[in-house]
Amino acid sequence: MAITLLNPDGLPEIDAYRQVSVATGSRLVFVAGQVSWDDKGVTIGEGDLAAQVERCYLNVATALAGAGASLADLAKLTVYVVDWTPDKMPLLMAGIARAAEALGAAPLPPATLIGVAALDVPEHLVEVEATAVID
């Protein structure tokens, strides 16, 4: 496995992700920001942040698989949420939990959450981009 996830002493432990990933692989995989589209470009979960988060993570997993990688190879995630406020965290976590259950694995690499005014189309509430490392 090319990725080791850590929570070093001196940093807080976050349930949703690990603070550090150490990559020892030889190939980088960059996944474009994934929105809640199905394979035909139809938005899944319009108006439902948790459903859109779930679909974004499922799309990240599909993109990784296409490159010969998996969630275990994730080194970093960046999550963009429209009109972010802390009260949306339960919905974000619910979507991640549902995706983890569907995929049989939790995506726990370091992650950055960024609140944005808007995304590419008005019905998209979240976008997730990923970086993975594989041998």
Side-chain angles (χ1 to χ4, degrees), residues 51-123:
Q52 288 197 19
V53 168
E54 177 183 10
R55 184 59 193 216
C56 290
Y57 276 85
L58 294 174
N59 288 350
V60 165
T62 298
L64 290 171
S70 72
L71 292 178
D73 300 309
L74 281 174
K76 176 78 168 64
L77 292 168
T78 304
V79 180
Y80 303 91
V81 181
V82 174
D83 296 327
W84 174 256
T85 56
D87 64 312
K88 293 181 181 179
M89 185 60 82
L91 294 171
L92 181 78
M93 297 308 296
I96 293 170
R98 291 187 337 213
E101 183 178 340
L103 296 166
L108 296 175
T112 299
L113 177 90
I114 301 171
V116 297
L119 292 171
D120 60 333
V121 294
E123 64 264 18

